[in-house]
Amino acid sequence: MLNLRNVVLGGLGAAAVFLALPAQAQTVFTGAGEESELDCDGGAVSVEGASNTLTITGDCTRLTVSGASNRITVELAAASSIRVEGAGNQIRWRAPGTAKPRTSIVGAGNRISQLR
């Protein structure tokens, strides 16, 4: 009986340690014709929609955009990526030092450029 109690308490302690680990932030924005500011808090951000104007701060590790005619300015972490699917999206990014994001573009008329 004592051994079972130790096993259960030990399992609960391990679960508490697992739950205490910080999760990577995930920010999701869905909309059309919106103007907004978001903080990705060092995690990933996903944008779905059309004709949005967004300013995203917080050293994002990943930006994923699905939609059309979005205008996005984003602050990236040193190791980051940008994936764009859709048409006519304009992504302007800044990252620390000489860091550059990995990029993937699917669709027509999408532009990804570094902020100067």
Side-chain angles (χ1 to χ4, degrees), residues 19-97:
L19 293 174
L21 295 175
Q24 185 177 20
Q26 173 72 33
T27 302
V28 178
F29 176 89
T30 304
E34 303 276 338
E35 185 169 336
S36 189
E37 293 184 14
L38 306 170
D39 183 353
C40 68
D41 195 26
V45 63
S46 176
V47 175
E48 299 175 2
S51 302
N52 297 297
T53 301
L54 304 175
T55 301
I56 304 171
T57 60
D59 295 330
C60 304
T61 57
R62 184 177 64 241
L63 170 64
T64 304
V65 179
S66 298
S69 301
N70 293 294
R71 306 291 176 259
I72 300 172
T73 302
V74 61
E75 291 179 355
L76 297 172
S80 59
S81 65
I82 299 172
R83 178 170 174 80
V84 180
E85 297 178 355
N89 295 292
Q90 294 181 13
I91 313 300
R92 298 181 320 150
W93 61 270
R94 77 174 55 111

